[in-house]
Amino acid sequence: MPDMVLEMACPGPVCGVDEAGRGPWAGPVSAGAVILDPARVPPGLDDSKKLTAKAREALEIEIKQHAIAWGVGFASVEEIAELNILHAAGLAMCRAIEALSVTPVYALVDGNYRFKLPCEVKTVVKGDSISCSIAAASILAKVARDRLMVEMDNLYPGYGFAGHKGYHAQIHVEALRTLGPCEIHRRGWEPVRLALIERGELVD
């Protein structure tokens, strides 16, 4: 389980940062940033992918109630197309850090890519399984994006966004064929691009 060892080794306020939604065919990429209070770390923090939706939602409440500061940021489908998914994820991380009510000195970032962020960066491979702050950030990012995709399901019915959140699923494949891509589809993604070609809306 993750702990606070890395956080305690950093001088000054340190935030954990993680993203959600790099792989889906539709929707924005999100990021969370969290500065935890070492004396009030919610029990059960872990990599968001290892938790059930119910557990993530319960922990989201605990994190927001007990953290010193927290923030969530998004980068849109248009920004993903303009910047590429990696740099769009970095933009979402910047926005999450900028949303914090306390300015961090260090950011512990999941992965091995050193994004240009508003503070010093320390990358942590598999950080959401190592650092409580990164795990908390992964939970906020995941819950925020999932919630948004449920809203998108109401705006764009037929694709099943509330269920698969924009990822690969049979209902999603079939909807792309029958309905075609909608406004929140990532048109540079291969399954979406192929659907556009099949419908004659894009020349290969």
Side-chain angles (χ1 to χ4, degrees), residues 27-111:
V29 62
S30 63
V34 179
I35 302 175
L36 288 175
D37 180 347
R40 305 183 76 190
V41 178
L45 289 176
D46 204 349
D47 174 358
S48 64
K49 296 183 290 296
K50 297 178 183 177
L51 302 169
T52 65
K54 185 176 181 180
R56 288 193 296 265
E57 290 167 3
L59 281 165
E60 178 199 31
I61 295 170
E62 293 290 313
I63 293 164
K64 290 182 175 181
Q65 284 181 343
H66 300 307
I68 293 171
W70 62 271
V72 172
F74 289 91
S76 68
V77 171
E78 292 77 16
E79 288 167 328
I80 292 170
E82 178 183 355
L83 301 173
N84 78 37
I85 187 59
L86 179 67
H87 291 100
L91 177 59
M93 290 180 182
C94 283
R95 288 170 173 165
I97 292 173
E98 289 166 353
L100 294 170
S101 59
V102 174
T103 302
V105 175
Y106 276 90
L108 301 175
V109 180
D110 185 46

